[in-house]
């Protein structure tokens, strides 16, 4: 089986991973963020990646952390990519009928300039001391077994939006080795990046990890966006 962490082939005939559509998607979001005075560009020419400090208030972060703790289970990996010890955090799936969840999703959508129909169900992750998510990509590789299912759920992932809900005493950085970036959790800050390059193809420079928490706990919210309309139902 092909290494799930290897970069995706640069060409794909699948319309649910269409470089032209993905490039246009990326350009729209990049334009919106470049016009936002709060957005700090971090990735240089390799990756479109931005940090927005103080995206959420301390009160919002505490409330969302309590929600994450209210219903949580082991974080999983896509079929065919499971490796013991690779992802050891816990995950909460937010209730989209909850008003506070809808408000959070809308705020993220508005900041990125993305229509809500592209949004996956938002997740909260909790990392205890020693837990991690090793280096990986958020984009999908179209020759993996999981792709035939994910292509029916909106296709390729475009942008990732991650909000830090707290600051562990030590560790828990989001590490991008290809960019020389290791970003410490900052309560209330949003970190967002395009998983595609400017040509709309999977960008191996987006390789990243949630490094082990050394002391304390780490809480984040993650929201991913798809090329097409997201759906839990297979089509």
């Amino acid at each position: 089986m092909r290494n799930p962490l290897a970069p995706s082939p640069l060409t794909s005939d699948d319309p649910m991973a269409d470089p032209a559509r993905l490039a246009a998607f990326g350009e729209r979001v990049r334009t919106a963020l470049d016009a936002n005075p709060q957005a700090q560009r971090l990735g240089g020419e390799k990756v479109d990646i931005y940090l927005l400090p103080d995206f959420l208030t301390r009160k919002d972060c505490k409330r969302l952390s309590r929600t994450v703790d209210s219903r949580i289970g082991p974080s999983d990996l896509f079929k065919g990519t499971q490796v013991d010890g690779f992802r050891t955090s816990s995950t909460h799936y937010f209730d989209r009928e909850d008003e506070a969840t809808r408000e959070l999703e809308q705020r993220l959508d508005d900041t990125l300039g993305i229509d809500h129909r592209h949004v996956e169900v938002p997740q909260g992750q909790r990392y205890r001391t020693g837990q991690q998510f090793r280096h990986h990509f958020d984009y999908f590789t179209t020759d993996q077994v999981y792709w035939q299912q994910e292509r029916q759920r909106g296709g390729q992932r475009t942008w990732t939006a991650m909000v830090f809900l707290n600051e562990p005493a030590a560790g828990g950085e989001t590490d991008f080795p290809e960019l020389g970036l290791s970003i410490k959790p900052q309560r209330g800050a949003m970190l967002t990046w395009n998983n595609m390059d400017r040509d709309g193809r999977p960008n191996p420079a987006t390789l990243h990890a949630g490094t082990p928490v050394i002391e304390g706990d780490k809480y984040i919210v993650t929201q991913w966006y798809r090329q097409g309309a997201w759906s839990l139902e297979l089509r």
Side-chain angles (χ1 to χ4, degrees):
M1 184 179 69
R2 186 177 176 279
N3 182 353
L5 290 183
S8 176
L10 293 180
T11 59
S12 171
D13 296 327
D14 196 314
M16 296 310 295
D18 180 2
R21 292 182 63 187
L22 290 162
F25 200 123
E27 183 177 358
R28 288 196 303 273
V29 180
R30 184 172 65 252
T31 298
L33 290 170
D34 282 341
N36 187 332
Q38 288 185 305
Q40 303 171 7
R41 177 182 280 277
L42 302 179
E45 296 302 314
K46 288 186 175 182
V47 177
D48 289 320
I49 180 171
Y50 299 81
L51 181 70
L52 287 80
D54 302 317
F55 183 76
L56 293 181
T57 67
R58 180 181 291 265
K59 181 179 179 180
D60 288 336
C61 291
K62 286 184 176 180
R63 174 179 52 77
L64 287 166
S65 296
R66 289 195 298 269
T67 301
V68 171
D69 277 333
S70 70
R71 187 181 68 254
I72 198 164
S75 300
D76 55 13
L77 292 164
F78 285 100
K79 183 178 180 180
T81 67
Q82 299 94 335
V83 177
D84 287 345
F86 194 87
R87 189 184 189 193
T88 55
S89 60
S90 298
T91 293
H92 168 87
Y93 293 89
F94 284 92
D95 180 2
R96 303 193 92 164
E97 300 303 314
D98 177 67
E99 182 178 354
T101 300
R102 291 199 300 270
E103 290 176 357
L104 173 62
E105 288 181 296
Q106 191 63 57
R107 186 168 183 187
L108 288 164
D109 298 347
D110 290 346
T111 300
L112 298 176
I114 301 176
D115 189 285
H116 187 68
R117 66 191 182 94
H118 296 280
V119 180
E120 293 184 31
V121 174
Q123 299 179 21
Q125 280 88 32
R126 183 186 69 197
Y127 293 78
R128 299 292 199 194
T129 299
Q131 292 185 331
Q132 65 178 326
F133 193 173
R134 296 187 182 187
H135 287 96
H136 63 282
F137 304 106
D138 283 359
Y139 60 70
F140 298 131
T141 52
T142 58
D143 59 352
Q144 288 289 318
V145 294
Y146 62 72
W147 172 246
Q148 293 309 312
Q149 176 172 285
E150 295 309 316
R151 70 177 308 280
Q152 298 179 64
R153 291 179 168 171
Q156 184 63 279
R157 279 179 171 166
T158 58
W159 287 77
T160 296
M162 177 189 298
V163 183
F164 299 105
L165 300 182
N166 77 320
E167 299 171 6
E173 293 85 0
T174 303
D175 180 60
F176 291 84
E178 299 299 319
L179 305 179
L181 283 175
S182 191
I183 301 160
K184 295 180 64 173
Q186 303 173 33
R187 181 185 286 108
M190 178 174 74
L191 182 67
T192 184
W193 66 90
N194 188 1
N195 294 291
M196 302 292 107
D197 62 21
R198 296 284 179 92
D199 293 325
R201 303 185 189 280
N203 189 345
T206 61
L207 181 72
H208 63 285
T211 62
V213 175
I214 297 171
E215 183 179 352
D217 295 332
K218 171 187 169 183
Y219 288 82
I220 60 173
V221 171
T222 309
Q223 185 157 290
W224 291 280
Y225 294 87
R226 299 292 186 102
Q227 172 187 302
W230 159 255
S231 174
L232 276 173
E233 303 297 325
L234 298 182
R235 299 167 186 170

